[in-house]
Amino acid sequence: MSVQNSVVLLSRHLSLKEVSPFNLVVDSLNQSAYYIIQEFVSNANAPVLLLSFENSLPPSWATEFMDCSGAQLKEVIKFIIDRSSKIQKKLVIIDSLNYIPCDELTSFMSSLVSPFNTVLAVYHSNCPSPQLTNYPSPLSLLNYIASAAFYVEPENVEDEEDNETSINKLILPIQGTLNGQKFTLKMIKKKKSGKAWQHEFSFDSKMHSYVPLRKAKGSTEDDDELLKDLTTFNLGTSSKQRLAKEQVELPFMEAQAELGKVGGAIVYQFEKDDDYDEEDPYEDPF
């Protein structure tokens, strides 16, 4: 997919013109989903229904608001169904899916998704969640059922591994680019065929602009994701380890460079212990 098409695709998502019933936003302590939600709200020409598990006061941009902190899931579903309309599409925003039990996520989301609603839900990747036996993690499950996923990450982080270690210890840097208005946005769009395309943008919420960082690429299985949780120790590699691996000079590469100077000739050097028969007409030492 060309760079221009990826920009158009993101613009269609933000304005709710793209057919995408369930949009997942994955944020962290490094970068909040606040700015991308504001971008959806400002571009979507539709009423906004906010299901809040983290706030008790409605924001000014919410057309309808429900405090879900003490409500049952069936009450939340009824709230959305009663306000759904075939006349006008609505944007349903869920500020956190972390409060919903993992075994109820699929049924809950399928009850909210409809042709007349576009669901935009946030999942906090740094929040611990209980892991059920022989059951996928909440994030893996949400990535599977979402029609599009948006990952927000800070820009210009010098050492990602050290930064991630500090964040896991709840040590937030005083100065830095975390939770800034300009951030990196990774969008994964799924096709009806099941194939997914990944697009990466430099997103400036203050200027309402987004610039593609690289050409879109098709989905590939991440080795680290496949190796995750298979054993009690870590089989994956960090970005720093992958970079060090790529910079290793392999010995056979130098040998190929030396042999390449003489074209396709066979280079052989005699040694003192070689058994050469001068009377053999078929043995050619040269």
Side-chain angles (χ1 to χ4, degrees), residues 6-19:
S6 64
V7 173
V8 174
L9 181 62
L10 178 58
S11 177
R12 287 179 57 85
H13 271 283
L14 295 174
S15 58
L16 306 186
K17 294 180 180 179
E18 183 70 16
V19 179

Side-chain angles (χ1 to χ4, degrees), residues 10 23-28 30-33 36 40 120-126 137-144 146 148-155 183-190 197-203 213 222 225 228:
L10 178 58
N23 298 311
L24 174 67
V25 179
V26 181
D27 69 353
S28 64
N30 286 323
Q31 184 66 45
S32 169
I36 189 65
F40 267 95
L120 179 67
V122 179
Y123 183 83
H124 307 310
S125 59
N126 287 122
S137 64
L139 184 56
S140 300
L141 190 61
L142 290 171
N143 274 319
Y144 181 77
F150 300 86
Y151 286 78
V152 290
E153 299 175 356
E155 276 195 345
F183 54 91
T184 299
L185 175 67
K186 294 181 180 179
M187 179 179 69
I188 301 176
K189 172 63 177 177
K190 295 181 182 178
W197 285 88
Q198 179 176 318
H199 312 266
E200 193 168 335
F201 303 89
S202 175
F203 203 103
L213 295 179
D222 189 1
E225 188 67 25
K228 188 177 181 181

Side-chain angles (χ1 to χ4, degrees), residues 50 52 54-60 62 65 67:
L50 176 59
S52 179
E54 299 180 333
N55 297 291
S56 58
L57 297 177
S60 58
F65 175 83
D67 183 3

Side-chain angles (χ1 to χ4, degrees), residues 66-212:
M66 180 179 182
D67 183 3
C68 305
S69 57
Q72 297 183 357
L73 293 184
K74 60 181 181 181
E75 297 175 350
V76 178
I77 296 173
K78 185 177 184 302
F79 176 84
I80 296 299
I81 293 178
D82 292 344
R83 288 159 178 78
S84 299
S85 173
K86 298 181 180 180
I87 301 176
Q88 187 178 20
K89 179 181 288 188
K90 292 181 172 61
L91 175 61
V92 180
I93 298 180
I94 307 174
D95 63 356
S96 178
L97 291 173
N98 298 77
Y99 296 86
I100 302 174
C102 183
D103 55 345
E104 298 183 29
L105 268 175
T106 305
S107 59
F108 176 72
M109 295 308 304
S110 61
S111 301
L112 297 183
V113 172
S114 73
F116 316 108
N117 295 329
T118 297
V119 178
L120 179 67
V122 179
Y123 183 83
H124 307 310
S125 59
N126 287 122
C127 291
S129 59
Q131 182 65 42
L132 301 178
T133 306
N134 299 326
Y135 203 81
S137 64
L139 184 56
S140 300
L141 190 61
L142 290 171
N143 274 319
Y144 181 77
I145 63 178
S147 51
F150 300 86
Y151 286 78
V152 290
E153 299 175 356
E155 276 195 345
N156 303 323
V157 177
E158 295 182 358
D159 194 322
E160 295 182 1
E161 186 176 357
D162 291 344
N163 176 70
E164 191 67 26
T165 303
S166 300
I167 291 296
N168 291 335
K169 296 179 181 179
L170 298 180
I171 303 175
L172 303 179
I174 299 176
Q175 296 179 350
T177 58
L178 304 187
N179 287 312
Q181 291 183 322
K182 190 174 182 180
F183 54 91
T184 299
L185 175 67
K186 294 181 180 179
M187 179 179 69
I188 301 176
K189 172 63 177 177
K190 295 181 182 178
K191 301 294 184 180
K192 292 182 179 180
S193 61
K195 187 176 182 180
W197 285 88
Q198 179 176 318
H199 312 266
E200 193 168 335
F201 303 89
S202 175
F203 203 103
D204 191 342
S205 59
K206 185 177 182 179
M207 303 301 296
H208 302 283
S209 62
Y210 29 90
V211 179

